[in-house]
Amino acid sequence: MKKNTNWLYALGAAFLLTGFYSCKPKNTSDAISGDAAQKVYVAPGKYDEFYNFVSGGFNGQMSVYGLPSGRLLKIIPIFSVFPENGYGYSEETKPMLNTSHGFVPWDDQHHLELSQTNGEIDGRWIFANANNTPRVARVDLTTFKTAEILELPNSAGNHSSPFITENTEYVVAGTRFAVPMDNDNGDVPINTYRKNFKASISFISVDKNSGNMKVAFQLRVPPVDFDLSHSGKGKSHDWFFFSCYNTEQASTLLEVNASQRDKDFILAVNWKKLEEYANHGNGKKEAVQYAHNVYDEKTHSATSTIEKEVTVLDAKDLKDVCYFIPCPKSPHGCDVDPTGEYIVGSGKLAALIPVFSFDKIQKAIADKKFIGNYDGIPVIEYEAALYGEVKKPGLGPLHTEFDGRGNAVTTMFVSSEIVKWNIKDLKVIDREPTYYSPGHLCIPGGDTRKPNGKYVIVYNKITKDRYLPTGPELAQAAQLFDISGDKMKLLLDFPTVGEPHYGQAVAASLIKDKSVKFFDINQNQNPYVTKGEKEAKVIRNGKKVDVYITQIRSHFVPDNIEGIKMGDQVYWHVTNLEQDWDVPHGFAIKGANNAELLVMPGETQSFEWNPEKPGMYPFYCTDFCSALHQEMQGYVRVSPANSNVAISFSTGANLPDTTTAPPLLGK
Amino acid sequence: MKKNTNWLYALGAAFLLTGFYSCKPKNTSDAISGDAAQKVYVAPGKYDEFYNFVSGGFNGQMSVYGLPSGRLLKIIPIFSVFPENGYGYSEETKPMLNTSHGFVPWDDQHHLELSQTNGEIDGRWIFANANNTPRVARVDLTTFKTAEILELPNSAGNHSSPFITENTEYVVAGTRFAVPMDNDNGDVPINTYRKNFKASISFISVDKNSGNMKVAFQLRVPPVDFDLSHSGKGKSHDWFFFSCYNTEQASTLLEVNASQRDKDFILAVNWKKLEEYANHGNGKKEAVQYAHNVYDEKTHSATSTIEKEVTVLDAKDLKDVCYFIPCPKSPHGCDVDPTGEYIVGSGKLAALIPVFSFDKIQKAIADKKFIGNYDGIPVIEYEAALYGEVKKPGLGPLHTEFDGRGNAVTTMFVSSEIVKWNIKDLKVIDREPTYYSPGHLCIPGGDTRKPNGKYVIVYNKITKDRYLPTGPELAQAAQLFDISGDKMKLLLDFPTVGEPHYGQAVAASLIKDKSVKFFDINQNQNPYVTKGEKEAKVIRNGKKVDVYITQIRSHFVPDNIEGIKMGDQVYWHVTNLEQDWDVPHGFAIKGANNAELLVMPGETQSFEWNPEKPGMYPFYCTDFCSALHQEMQGYVRVSPANSNVAISFSTGANLPDTTTAPPLLGK
C-alpha cells in the first residue's frame, strides 16, 4: 500500500530548502559590549537576581537557572524518572509517574507558567505540561518539588498547555494531535480523520489555597492542531486565545499538507461564559480514565487515583463562546500584551506579524462580521479583528513577549534573530542576531500584566559551532540580552540541559525567602518513618521484610543486618534524621536493580530490593556528608530461602571479636 | 539482638561535632580580584580553553564543563539510564547496563582518569568507575559516548578506581568494601569479617589501539577499605600506590571503630613484577561471573557478554610485590608528584600531611626496614619511607594535585580551604577558603607528568547559602581559582549536577578537532537500518512487528501505519537520515512505557512498544528540527488481536479524501 510520494517530497524539499531551514544570520559578528562580562558576573557567594525556570523539552524535567549568570541551580524532576535523587524509583514517588497507560518513565516537557494573582506572578507554584502522554503538573516553589500531576483524557500531544488565567483560576491544556476521543472507537482507518478525529481543550481548576488541580470541564473542538495559547488580561480577562494550524485537517505529510492554506486560525474562547454553561449543567459527562497523582509533604509520599469521569461541552453547541480569527500562516505563538488589548499571532510561515485588537474582536462579534463558519464555529473577518500588521519583521516569527514599556520582542526562527517592535505603531525598532534558530523567548513576567523588562532570554534550537564540540550530540542553548536600553545587547550564551523549550523568569525576592530548608522530623507522617535510632528495626511479615533504618552523620542504624532470605521482598525505609540545611544522605546497595535514594533531612524514602542470590551485600551513603562519610557503610547478609538464620540487626554491637585476633602490626 | 550502643554514639558525636564536621572558614569575605569577571567570561561564540570532565557522583554519569566559564556542555550517560537521549532505554544501549546482577539502571560514579601516553594526557579516552555495582567504563572522546563497560568480580564498592599507568597499560580498581569473595560462601555471620572477608585490586589491561579492556588479573589483599590510588611516574613507573583505611578491620560503626589507630596504610604494589608473576602462571583461575559490555559505533549497538573466569594472585604469596607504608590517619588521597619521587598521603583525620620518598621506599625495601607484617605483607618503617611532613596544613586534608612548578595544592575538608605548599621544603605558601567542605580538586593534568598549572578547580560537598535557595535539595558546586601567580585567586563559583566527586581537565586543543560531527549513513551497519525512504517498511513476523522508519526534516516515512494488533511486540527502528551536524531527531509515541529516543544523524536506534489497548496513537519528533518541526508527526492504528486489518504504511498517500468534505471557510 506504499504509494509513490516522490512528487510530494520534491515539492516539500524545494519549499523548505529555499527558505525554512534555519540559516545563519547575516550579521554574525559577535558584537559584545565591553561591560558584558561585568553584567553577567555574579561573584562567588552572591545571589543571582532572577530565577529562570526552563522547560527541559525531551528530558521531561524543569531546569532552574540563575540570571544573569546562566548557572544551572537545579533540575526538578517532573515527568521522567531521575536517577540522581530517586524520583520515580522510591516507593514514595513511583505513583507520581502513573498514568492510565501504566507507569511512564519519561516524557517531553514544553511549557511552563508561574502562578499569578491579579495578572502578576505570585511565586507560589509553577505549572508544566507533558506533551506525549498528556498531563499537567504543579511544582511547589517552597520545596522545588513536583506536588501534583493530573493526566488529561481525550487528549494527544498536550502542547497548548499549561497556560493560566489571571488569578490562576484555570490552567488550560489544548491538544496538538486530533484523535478519536477516548469513548469512541479508535480502531478506525487514519484516512477517516475528518469524520472520526476530534480535538479538545481542558480547563483545569486550581484551588486557590492548596493549589489542587481538577479537570473542571473540557471543550470539544474541531480536529485541527492546537499549538499555543494565552489568557486575556484586564479588559480581556474573560477570554482565552489559542493558535491552531492544520486547518487543512491533514493526517499525513503535514509539512506539505498542513501548509496549504494562507491563513489558519486563532480560536478565541470566552471561558467565563464556558464556565457558566458548565456550571449550569450544559456539559455531558463521559466515562473516561485518567490518573491524578498527588505528593503529600507530610507523608513525603505520593498517591495515584484513577479518575473516571469528565464533563465535556461541544464548541459548536455553544453559540456565544468560541470564535475563529483567521491568522497567517500556520500560527505558532499566541501572545497577549500587558494591557490585554493586543493579541499577537506569530505565523511561522508568514512574512508579517498580525496584531489583533480585543476591542475590534468584540465589535466584530457584536456586529456579526463573520465570513462563515468552520465546523460550526463562526469565523470573524480578518480585517474586522485586526489592529494592524508588523511588516517585514524577519523570517519565521514564532513567539512574542513584552517589555512593559510598550514594546514587543519576537523570535524569528528562520532568520535567526530577535526583533523588537512597538506595539502601538507596529514599527520595528531593533533586531539582533541569535545563534541559532530561536524558539521561545522569555522576559521576566513578559506574558503577565507586569513585565520586568531588564533582560530577554532566547532559547535556541541549534548551537552547532557555539561551544567546544562534544561529538554528534550538542547542548542546546540560551542567550541573555540586555533590553533595558533602546538597543538590545547580547550579554551571554549559556548551554542548557535537554531542550530549553520555554522559560519563565521571576525576581528572586519573590521566592527565595520562602524556601524550605529541611523537613521537621516531628512532622514526618510517612507510615515507615523512624523518628530516632532507638526506633530502628527490621520486621519480617511473611516474605515481606521492612527495614526501618536511620541516617545521621556518619552512620546507619542498623548497619549490620542478618536473616534476610532468598525470595524476600525487602523494603528499605530510610529516614534521614538530620535537622539542618544541605545535609542529605544517600543510600545504595550492591547489585540492586533499583539502585539508589537521596534522602533530605527529616524525610523518609523507601525502595524495594529483591536480592538475586545469597551472600553479603554492602550498603553505604552516596552523598558525601562529613569527614567520616567514607565510614558510613553497612552489611546485609542474605541466606538461602530454607535457612534458619533469624532476623537480627545492630550498629556497634559486632565489635572486633576475640576469637580471631586482629592482624596487628608486629611491634 | 539490638544492643545499646549509646555510649558509642556519644563518643562518636563528641569526636565529630568538635572538629570533623565542615566548618565555615574563618576568612569568609569574598575577596574577588577586580578582573575575575573578565577572566572567566567566555564571550558568546568563543570557545572555552579547557574541557573539564567531572564525575557525577550519585547520578552515575559524567558531566563536561567548559573552563574558565563553568558552563555545562554535556552530560555523558555511563552507569545510569538517561531519560534525555535514550541511553539504557533503546534496544541498542540496554546491554550497556547489564551486569551479573541483571540490569542496573543507576549507579554512583566517583573518579575519572584521562588516558595517557608517556605520562601525559593523550585525549583519546576517559575512564570512569561505578562504585556500587563495581564496574569500569571507557568513554570515547571522539563521540563523547560510553564505548565499553567492564564489571569486576570479587569486588564491592569499587572506589579506588579507575587509576591508570603512564601509558594506559592498566586501569586499576581497588575495592572499598571487603566481602566474602565470589567463590566463597557469602552467607556467613558479619562478625566473622576477619576470617571470611577479603579485598581485591583488579588490573584491567587496555588495548593500545582499540582501547578494549580486559580483567588481566586480580590481586587478593587483606580486608581493609581501599580508598584511592595513583600510579608511579618516571622512576617509579613500575609501582602503584593505594591508600587504605579501616586497618582495624571493623565491620560496624566504622566512624568510631575504623578511627582507632593513629596510622593506617599506603599499599605500594610493584605492578611490573605482579604482571610477570601473572604471565608466568602464578595466578589461580577462579570461576566467576561478570559482564563485559561493548558499544560498536558501526552498528550503533551494544553487546553484553558474561565472562566466566578471572586470574587471582594472593598478595601474601608474592614476596617482592606488596609493601605497606604506615600513614596517619585514615588516609584518603594518595597522590604522586610529576617527578614520581614524592607520594603524598592525605589522612583525613591527620593534623599533618606525610610525603613519602620513592627512593627511600626502595632503600627501605632493600634494607628490609620492616616493623613487621600485616596479613603476611611487610610493613615498612614510617620514618624509613618518609621524605617529610607538611606541618599544620589545615584540618582534614583529603586530596592533592600538582602545579608543575614544584608546588602541591591540597584540599582541607574540615577547615574548608585549599592549601598550597612547596614539595621540596614542605612549607605552606598560601591558603584560600573554599565554600564549603572541598573534596577532590583538579589542576589540568595535575596528576600527570605535565600539569598545566593555570587553574585549580575545587569540588565542594556543601553549598548551603552560596546560591539562590532551591528548597531542601541544593546543587553541589565547583570553584575555579587562578593559580598562575604566587597567590591563589578565587575567580568563580559554579553549581554542578549530581555530586562533582572528582574532575580532570585538559586543554581543548587536544580533543576538539577530533570530534565526530555525524555518522556516515553509508557506514551504518545496524541490522535494522533504513538507508533511504524507499527502504522504509513495516514487517510482521508472527507477533513481532518491525517498523523501519526514517526521519528527515520534517517528516517520517512512513507516517501512517495500520495493521498493528493487540499482543504485538512492536519494535520501532528509527533511522535519522540527516547528514549534517547538530540535526538530531527525537521520537515519542503516546502512552509508551519506554517512551522516547533521540537519534543522531546517520544513526539507527530502536525501542520496544507494547500497545495496551486498541486505538489511535500519534507519534512525533521530540527535537525541534526545523520551522516545520511541529508538522513532523504520524499516526499508528492499533486493532484488536482478532482484527483482519492488514499491515499497511505510507507517507503522503492518505490525502484529504473527497467522501467527507473538508470544512472550508464559508466564502
Side-chain angles (χ1 to χ4, degrees):
Chain A
M1 202 179 111
K2 198 176 154 206
K3 295 186 185 170
N4 186 328
T5 53
N6 286 349
W7 67 274
L8 273 174
Y9 302 147
L11 175 71
F15 174 69
L16 290 170
L17 286 170
T18 50
F20 292 98
Y21 284 176
S22 65
C23 37
K24 204 159 175 166
K26 279 168 200 160
N27 170 13
T28 53
S29 73
D30 288 314
I32 305 305
S33 62
D35 57 352
Q38 293 295 344
K39 282 189 170 173
V40 302
Y41 184 69
V42 176
K46 302 296 181 200
Y47 282 178
D48 276 287
E49 187 181 353
F50 293 92
Y51 286 97
N52 185 197
F53 299 93
V54 182
S55 52
F58 46 72
N59 78 4
Q61 318 290 33
M62 183 191 299
S63 319
V64 185
Y65 293 85
L67 295 180
S69 73
R71 298 181 296 189
L72 175 60
L73 302 177
K74 189 177 181 67
I75 296 171
I76 303 174
I78 305 179
F79 296 113
S80 303
V81 300
F82 197 47
E84 173 167 327
N85 76 352
Y87 183 85
Y89 291 93
S90 70
E91 294 303 309
E92 284 79 0
T93 56
K94 274 182 188 170
M96 290 303 280
L97 297 179
N98 190 41
T99 74
S100 64
H101 304 268
F103 185 85
V104 172
W106 180 6
D107 210 301
D108 182 27
Q109 198 283 302
H110 271 205
H111 307 118
L112 303 166
E113 189 89 334
L114 285 153
S115 59
Q116 297 179 21
T117 300
N118 296 324
E120 295 180 36
I121 296 168
D122 59 23
R124 301 175 74 193
W125 310 301
I126 185 164
F127 299 91
N129 74 324
N131 267 323
N132 186 40
T133 301
R135 285 167 289 171
V136 166
R138 180 174 55 87
V139 171
D140 185 318
L141 292 178
T142 65
T143 58
F144 283 64
K145 280 189 181 186
T146 303
E148 190 175 8
I149 293 181
L150 181 64
E151 194 182 358
L152 300 170
N154 295 322
S155 179
N158 173 44
H159 194 266
S160 181
S161 165
F163 298 94
I164 64 171
T165 52
E166 284 188 288
N167 290 296
T168 320
E169 295 97 336
Y170 291 101
V171 176
V172 304
T175 49
R176 175 168 150 209
F177 307 120
V179 281
M181 294 291 93
D182 292 2
N183 265 340
D184 296 336
N185 175 22
D187 175 26
V188 295
I190 299 165
N191 70 3
T192 65
Y193 180 99
R194 289 173 182 169
K195 182 176 157 200
N196 289 316
F197 289 41
K198 294 275 188 310
S200 65
I201 298 171
S202 302
F203 285 77
I204 300 164
S205 62
V206 179
D207 183 276
K208 69 176 140 184
N209 296 312
S210 66
N212 280 351
M213 300 188 292
K214 187 183 154 187
V215 181
F217 45 86
Q218 283 192 325
L219 183 65
R220 188 138 302 161
V221 281
V224 298
D225 288 36
F226 285 85
D227 203 333
L228 283 178
S229 65
H230 267 102
S231 73
K233 300 181 179 82
K235 62 178 158 183
S236 56
H237 173 84
D238 294 356
W239 290 75
F240 236 108
F241 305 93
F242 298 86
S243 57
C244 40
Y245 63 105
N246 191 22
T247 56
E248 297 86 349
Q249 300 188 8
S251 54
T252 183
L253 198 63
L254 267 64
E255 69 172 339
V256 175
N257 294 325
S259 304
Q260 301 296 312
R261 292 188 171 177
D262 283 339
K263 291 194 178 70
D264 293 280
F265 293 137
I266 284 175
L267 174 66
V269 177
N270 186 327
W271 63 265
K272 269 290 198 190
K273 283 208 173 145
L274 180 62
E275 183 185 52
E276 275 173 37
Y277 281 115
N279 289 345
H280 286 86
N282 285 52
K284 202 179 82 182
K285 290 198 194 306
E286 291 185 4
V288 291
Q289 295 219 320
Y290 56 103
H292 185 194
N293 310 332
V294 178
Y295 190 81
D296 179 334
E297 273 302 347
K298 291 212 176 72
T299 59
H300 306 299
S301 303
T303 51
S304 179
T305 307
I306 298 293
E307 304 285 350
K308 307 281 192 186
E309 197 177 70
V310 67
T311 298
V312 178
L313 296 99
D314 198 315
K316 65 176 180 291
D317 300 337
L318 308 168
K319 293 306 170 199
D320 50 0
V321 170
C322 295
Y323 302 90
F324 279 124
I325 305 164
C327 182
K329 174 177 186 175
S330 297
H332 197 59
C334 179
D335 301 291
V336 180
D337 92 307
T339 69
E341 165 63 8
Y342 302 104
I343 298 106
V344 180
S346 297
K348 62 200 179 198
L349 304 183
L352 53 79
I353 301 173
V355 179
F356 300 99
S357 154
F358 179 71
D359 290 342
K360 287 188 74 176
I361 292 168
Q362 295 308 301
K363 188 162 186 321
I365 292 170
D367 297 348
K368 297 199 188 310
K369 289 213 171 174
F370 304 137
I371 55 170
N373 72 76
Y374 183 93
D375 243 5
I377 298 171
V379 180
I380 298 174
E381 262 179 37
Y382 177 64
E383 289 75 12
L386 188 73
Y387 172 70
E389 294 169 342
V390 183
K391 306 290 188 187
K392 297 191 180 174
L395 294 173
L398 290 191
H399 300 284
T400 300
E401 294 218 340
F402 304 91
D403 71 358
R405 294 184 292 270
N407 304 307
V409 184
T410 302
T411 48
M412 299 291 158
F413 182 85
V414 176
S415 51
S416 274
E417 58 189 334
I418 50 172
V419 173
K420 178 170 158 182
W421 48 276
N422 182 278
I423 304 172
K424 279 276 154 66
D425 68 15
L426 306 179
K427 296 273 190 276
V428 170
I429 300 164
D430 188 21
R431 58 179 69 237
E432 280 295 318
T434 65
Y435 306 90
Y436 305 96
S437 305
H440 278 271
L441 78 175
C442 159
I443 291 170
D447 74 341
T448 72
R449 289 176 76 165
K450 282 226 177 150
N452 181 332
K454 184 168 183 178
Y455 298 118
V456 64
I457 311 101
V458 179
Y459 304 102
N460 295 293
K461 303 304 183 187
I462 294 175
T463 52
K464 225 156 211 166
D465 53 4
R466 298 293 286 180
Y467 302 102
L468 284 176
T470 54
E473 195 181 338
L474 302 172
Q476 298 191 23
Q479 291 187 291
L480 180 75
F481 293 79
D482 178 344
I483 57 165
S484 59
D486 286 341
K487 182 87 190 138
M488 301 185 290
K489 289 178 191 164
L490 176 59
L491 297 178
L492 182 72
D493 271 32
F494 61 99
T496 63
V497 293
E499 182 220 351
H501 191 90
Y502 176 49
Q504 292 213 330
V506 59
S509 56
L510 214 58
I511 290 178
K512 72 179 170 59
D513 298 329
K514 295 185 285 193
S515 208
V516 170
K517 294 183 174 173
F518 58 87
F519 299 110
D520 183 347
I521 185 77
N522 297 310
Q523 302 299 316
N524 180 333
Q525 294 175 25
N526 188 301
Y528 297 99
V529 64
T530 310
K531 290 203 177 175
E533 295 184 343
K534 287 183 181 169
E535 296 176 22
K537 61 194 172 196
V538 180
I539 304 292
R540 172 179 291 285
N541 197 336
K543 288 280 186 190
K544 180 168 180 273
V545 178
D546 289 296
V547 181
Y548 295 75
I549 186 170
T550 64
Q551 305 178 301
I552 199 163
R553 284 164 293 185
S554 277
H555 59 266
F556 294 96
V557 176
D559 72 3
N560 278 201
I561 299 169
E562 303 192 3
I564 305 294
K565 297 180 194 177
M566 285 304 298
D568 284 350
Q569 190 177 25
V570 183
Y571 289 93
W572 296 84
H573 307 291
V574 186
T575 298
N576 178 342
L577 293 176
E578 308 282 353
Q579 292 287 274
D580 195 2
W581 199 19
D582 201 16
V583 198
H585 289 289
F587 186 80
I589 184 162
K590 184 184 169 185
N593 298 122
N594 183 20
E596 300 188 20
L597 290 175
L598 194 65
V599 191
M600 296 301 120
E603 195 182 46
T604 302
Q605 292 285 291
S606 306
F607 86 94
E608 184 182 347
W609 179 57
N610 307 107
E612 86 285 1
K613 58 187 170 194
M616 190 63 65
Y617 294 83
F619 55 87
Y620 66 103
C621 173
T622 56
D623 195 346
F624 211 105
C625 55
S626 81
L628 292 169
H629 159 76
Q630 279 296 87
E631 280 71 8
M632 190 163 173
Q633 62 174 75
Y635 289 103
V636 54
R637 172 187 178 185
V638 176
S639 302
N642 60 359
S643 159
N644 59 5
V645 176
I647 290 282
S648 68
F649 54 93
S650 61
T651 289
N654 288 323
L655 288 176
D657 58 21
T658 49
T659 54
T660 51
L664 293 170
L665 298 185
K667 68 170 178 182
Chain B
M1 201 179 113
K2 197 177 154 203
K3 295 186 183 171
N4 186 327
T5 54
N6 286 349
W7 66 274
L8 272 173
Y9 303 147
L11 176 71
F15 174 69
L16 290 170
L17 285 171
T18 49
F20 290 97
Y21 283 177
S22 66
C23 37
K24 203 158 177 169
K26 281 168 197 159
N27 171 11
T28 53
S29 73
D30 289 314
I32 305 305
S33 64
D35 58 352
Q38 294 295 343
K39 282 188 170 173
V40 301
Y41 183 70
V42 177
K46 303 296 182 200
Y47 282 179
D48 275 288
E49 188 182 353
F50 293 91
Y51 286 97
N52 186 197
F53 298 93
V54 182
S55 52
F58 46 72
N59 78 5
Q61 319 291 33
M62 183 191 299
S63 318
V64 186
Y65 293 86
L67 295 179
S69 72
R71 298 181 296 188
L72 175 60
L73 302 177
K74 190 178 180 65
I75 297 171
I76 302 175
I78 304 178
F79 296 113
S80 303
V81 298
F82 198 47
E84 172 167 327
N85 76 353
Y87 182 84
Y89 291 93
S90 69
E91 294 303 308
E92 284 80 0
T93 57
K94 274 182 188 170
M96 291 303 280
L97 298 179
N98 190 40
T99 74
S100 64
H101 304 269
F103 185 85
V104 172
W106 179 7
D107 210 301
D108 182 28
Q109 198 284 303
H110 270 205
H111 307 118
L112 304 167
E113 189 88 333
L114 285 153
S115 59
Q116 297 178 19
T117 300
N118 296 324
E120 296 180 35
I121 295 168
D122 60 22
R124 302 175 74 193
W125 310 301
I126 186 163
F127 299 91
N129 74 325
N131 267 324
N132 186 39
T133 301
R135 286 168 289 172
V136 167
R138 179 173 56 86
V139 171
D140 185 319
L141 292 179
T142 66
T143 58
F144 283 64
K145 280 189 180 185
T146 303
E148 191 176 6
I149 293 181
L150 181 64
E151 194 181 358
L152 300 170
N154 294 324
S155 179
N158 173 43
H159 194 264
S160 183
S161 166
F163 298 93
I164 65 170
T165 53
E166 285 189 289
N167 291 296
T168 320
E169 295 97 334
Y170 290 101
V171 176
V172 304
T175 48
R176 174 169 151 207
F177 308 121
V179 281
M181 294 290 94
D182 292 1
N183 266 338
D184 297 335
N185 175 22
D187 175 27
V188 295
I190 298 165
N191 71 1
T192 64
Y193 180 99
R194 289 173 182 169
K195 180 176 158 202
N196 289 317
F197 289 42
K198 294 275 187 311
S200 65
I201 298 170
S202 302
F203 286 78
I204 300 164
S205 62
V206 179
D207 184 275
K208 70 174 137 186
N209 297 312
S210 66
N212 280 352
M213 300 188 291
K214 188 183 152 185
V215 181
F217 44 85
Q218 284 191 325
L219 183 64
R220 188 139 303 163
V221 281
V224 299
D225 288 35
F226 285 84
D227 203 334
L228 282 178
S229 65
H230 267 100
S231 73
K233 300 182 179 82
K235 61 179 161 184
S236 55
H237 171 83
D238 294 357
W239 290 75
F240 237 107
F241 304 94
F242 298 85
S243 57
C244 40
Y245 63 104
N246 191 23
T247 57
E248 296 88 348
Q249 300 187 9
S251 53
T252 183
L253 197 63
L254 266 66
E255 69 172 341
V256 174
N257 295 324
S259 304
Q260 300 297 311
R261 291 186 172 180
D262 284 340
K263 291 194 179 67
D264 293 279
F265 293 137
I266 284 174
L267 174 66
V269 177
N270 187 325
W271 64 265
K272 269 292 199 188
K273 282 205 175 147
L274 180 62
E275 181 186 54
E276 275 173 37
Y277 282 116
N279 289 344
H280 286 86
N282 285 53
K284 202 180 81 184
K285 290 198 193 309
E286 292 185 3
V288 291
Q289 296 218 321
Y290 56 103
H292 185 193
N293 310 332
V294 178
Y295 189 81
D296 180 333
E297 273 303 349
K298 292 213 176 70
T299 60
H300 307 299
S301 302
T303 51
S304 179
T305 307
I306 297 293
E307 304 286 348
K308 306 280 191 185
E309 196 177 72
V310 67
T311 298
V312 178
L313 297 99
D314 199 314
K316 64 177 181 294
D317 300 336
L318 307 170
K319 292 307 168 199
D320 50 1
V321 169
C322 296
Y323 303 90
F324 279 123
I325 304 164
C327 182
K329 176 176 185 175
S330 299
H332 197 59
C334 179
D335 301 290
V336 180
D337 92 307
T339 70
E341 166 62 9
Y342 302 104
I343 299 107
V344 180
S346 297
K348 62 199 179 200
L349 304 184
L352 52 79
I353 302 172
V355 179
F356 301 98
S357 154
F358 178 72
D359 289 343
K360 287 187 75 176
I361 292 168
Q362 296 307 300
K363 190 164 186 314
I365 292 169
D367 297 348
K368 296 198 188 314
K369 290 214 171 172
F370 304 138
I371 55 169
N373 73 74
Y374 182 94
D375 242 6
I377 298 171
V379 180
I380 298 173
E381 263 179 33
Y382 177 64
E383 289 75 11
L386 190 72
Y387 172 71
E389 294 169 342
V390 183
K391 306 289 189 187
K392 297 191 179 172
L395 295 174
L398 289 191
H399 301 285
T400 300
E401 294 218 341
F402 304 91
D403 71 358
R405 294 184 292 270
N407 304 307
V409 183
T410 302
T411 47
M412 300 291 161
F413 181 86
V414 176
S415 52
S416 274
E417 58 188 335
I418 49 172
V419 174
K420 179 169 156 183
W421 48 276
N422 182 278
I423 305 172
K424 278 276 155 67
D425 68 16
L426 306 178
K427 295 273 190 278
V428 171
I429 299 164
D430 188 22
R431 58 179 70 237
E432 280 295 318
T434 66
Y435 307 89
Y436 305 96
S437 305
H440 278 272
L441 78 174
C442 160
I443 292 170
D447 73 341
T448 72
R449 289 176 77 166
K450 282 226 175 150
N452 180 333
K454 183 168 183 179
Y455 299 117
V456 64
I457 311 101
V458 180
Y459 304 101
N460 295 293
K461 303 304 183 189
I462 293 175
T463 52
K464 226 156 208 165
D465 52 6
R466 298 294 285 179
Y467 301 102
L468 283 176
T470 54
E473 194 180 341
L474 301 172
Q476 297 191 24
Q479 292 186 291
L480 180 75
F481 293 79
D482 179 344
I483 57 165
S484 59
D486 287 341
K487 181 89 188 137
M488 301 184 290
K489 289 178 189 162
L490 175 58
L491 298 178
L492 181 72
D493 271 31
F494 60 99
T496 63
V497 293
E499 182 219 352
H501 192 90
Y502 176 49
Q504 291 213 330
V506 60
S509 56
L510 214 57
I511 291 177
K512 71 179 172 57
D513 299 328
K514 296 185 286 192
S515 207
V516 170
K517 294 184 175 172
F518 58 87
F519 300 110
D520 182 348
I521 184 77
N522 297 309
Q523 301 299 316
N524 181 333
Q525 294 175 25
N526 188 302
Y528 296 100
V529 65
T530 310
K531 290 203 177 176
E533 295 186 343
K534 287 183 181 168
E535 295 177 21
K537 62 195 170 194
V538 180
I539 304 291
R540 171 179 291 286
N541 198 336
K543 288 280 187 190
K544 180 167 181 273
V545 178
D546 290 296
V547 181
Y548 296 75
I549 186 170
T550 64
Q551 305 178 301
I552 199 163
R553 286 164 290 185
S554 278
H555 58 268
F556 294 96
V557 176
D559 72 3
N560 279 200
I561 299 169
E562 302 193 5
I564 306 294
K565 297 179 194 176
M566 284 305 297
D568 284 350
Q569 190 175 25
V570 182
Y571 289 92
W572 296 84
H573 307 291
V574 186
T575 298
N576 178 341
L577 293 176
E578 309 281 353
Q579 292 286 275
D580 195 2
W581 200 18
D582 201 17
V583 198
H585 289 289
F587 186 81
I589 185 164
K590 183 184 170 185
N593 298 122
N594 184 20
E596 299 188 23
L597 291 175
L598 194 65
V599 191
M600 295 301 120
E603 196 182 46
T604 302
Q605 293 286 291
S606 306
F607 86 94
E608 186 183 344
W609 179 57
N610 305 108
E612 86 284 2
K613 58 188 169 193
M616 189 64 64
Y617 294 82
F619 56 86
Y620 66 103
C621 173
T622 56
D623 195 346
F624 210 104
C625 56
S626 82
L628 291 169
H629 160 75
Q630 280 296 87
E631 280 71 9
M632 191 165 172
Q633 63 174 74
Y635 288 103
V636 53
R637 173 186 177 186
V638 175
S639 303
N642 61 358
S643 159
N644 59 5
V645 176
I647 290 282
S648 68
F649 54 93
S650 60
T651 290
N654 288 322
L655 288 176
D657 57 23
T658 50
T659 55
T660 52
L664 293 171
L665 297 186
K667 69 171 177 182

